[in-house]
Amino acid sequence: MYQETFTLKILKVLSEYWTRVVSLDIETDTRDGQFLIGERILGLSLACRDEGYLTQSEGVSVATFVLEEDTDEAEMQMLQKVGEALDVVRPLGVLGYNHRSYDLPLLSMKLERYKKTIKPWKLVDLIQQSVPIDFIFVLRKMFKERSLRGVLQASELSDLPLVRQKNLISERFDDKAQDIYHLWMEDLDTFRYYIEGDALNILLIAEYIINEGRFNI
């Protein structure tokens, strides 16, 4: 069995508890080109289906949290709000794209840093107890695309109400961090739209897989 197929089988199990599954995306300040060194979290989005039919945008709630200023205090306050939002969902699973390699480890670092100051217990639950479903390799194999930007253009997904917002930032790796930071500094509405899109898109693509019964690669 391929590991990607095993991941999809776990997704099938989680599909029975779908209102208890969240899709996660975070954006950070990595202009220095370094990762997982405690870099500042600029924004975080959570998408979750409350009601409605799978693959439709109606019935999906997206909660977005944006850093108000580049300080530890503001970051702590933002993470506290994220924890409060998670307390409502009490997620059993967390979806993402490369989040096992980056988003979740970074959140663990932040919780370790701030654990004496804030008590975002539901963030702890998200990291330590929720089942992570990372779609990076699943989608690469399923759609033969190396990036999420490419996956969003796949003809099979053309009927999904995806947010095709990747053109807002450069495809060049060296420029991406600068573009994201610029959006956070200069255009918060567009920044929110960008991170909401990534969270919503992964949720909808997961629902497409569930609807189509594509639990084997």
Side-chain angles (χ1 to χ4, degrees):
M1 178 188 296
Y2 289 110
Q3 290 171 316
E4 294 89 347
T5 297
F6 185 70
T7 297
L8 291 174
K9 290 186 181 297
I10 298 172
L11 176 65
K12 184 177 182 180
V13 173
L14 281 176
S15 68
E16 300 178 22
Y17 311 94
W18 200 241
T19 57
R20 298 278 302 277
V21 174
V22 299
S23 178
L24 166 72
D25 182 64
I26 67 172
E27 297 298 337
T28 59
D29 182 7
T30 56
R31 290 172 296 161
D32 60 3
Q34 299 186 70
F35 298 87
L36 294 180
I37 58 168
E39 58 268 27
R40 187 74 75 197
I41 296 176
L42 302 176
L44 185 153
S45 254
L46 299 168
C48 180
R49 179 163 297 283
D50 300 321
E51 57 187 7
Y53 296 101
L54 298 188
T55 73
Q56 296 187 6
S57 56
E58 294 80 8
V60 175
S61 62
V62 183
T64 301
F65 309 86
V66 176
L67 188 73
E68 294 185 359
E69 59 182 11
D70 193 356
T71 65
D72 286 355
E73 180 65 28
E75 190 173 53
M76 285 189 289
Q77 291 177 358
M78 179 178 62
L79 291 176
Q80 188 74 54
K81 292 176 182 178
V82 173
E84 292 168 1
L86 290 171
D87 195 20
V88 177
V89 180
R90 297 172 56 233
L92 299 174
V94 54
L95 315 176
Y97 190 86
N98 203 33
H99 69 327
R100 291 186 67 176
S101 296
Y102 186 68
D103 302 60
L104 297 178
L106 182 61
L107 284 176
S108 293
M109 294 173 66
K110 294 296 181 179
L111 293 180
E112 180 64 24
R113 178 176 181 179
Y114 296 135
K115 66 181 180 181
K116 295 182 179 179
T117 309
I118 59 175
K119 297 180 179 179
W121 298 119
K122 292 306 172 182
L123 261 177
V124 176
D125 290 345
L126 180 80
I127 296 166
Q128 296 183 358
Q129 297 197 78
S130 298
V131 178
I133 300 291
D134 195 331
F135 281 103
I136 183 169
F137 297 112
V138 169
L139 298 185
R140 283 181 179 181
K141 194 172 184 70
M142 186 175 290
F143 297 104
K144 306 300 187 290
E145 294 286 351
R146 295 292 298 174
S147 68
L148 184 55
R149 187 190 295 254
V151 170
L152 296 178
Q153 302 304 318
S155 59
E156 293 177 64
L157 304 178
S158 60
D159 291 334
L160 291 183
L162 299 174
V163 181
R164 294 176 173 85
Q165 87 294 21
K166 288 298 188 180
N167 63 315
L168 294 173
I169 63 171
S170 174
E171 288 189 67
R172 284 173 43 84
F173 181 80
D174 292 342
D175 297 332
K176 179 180 177 180
Q178 292 287 348
D179 290 348
I180 288 173
Y181 188 82
H182 175 78
L183 285 181
W184 174 73
M185 283 289 294
E186 305 294 338
D187 191 347
L188 283 181
D189 287 341
T190 303
F191 179 74
R192 286 178 178 273
Y193 176 74
Y194 181 81
I195 57 176
E196 286 173 0
D198 274 357
L200 176 61
N201 287 340
I202 289 297
L203 181 71
L204 292 174
I205 292 172
E207 293 184 344
Y208 164 81
I209 293 171
I210 293 168
N211 263 1
E212 296 296 315
R214 295 187 64 177
F215 299 116
N216 191 19
I217 297 180

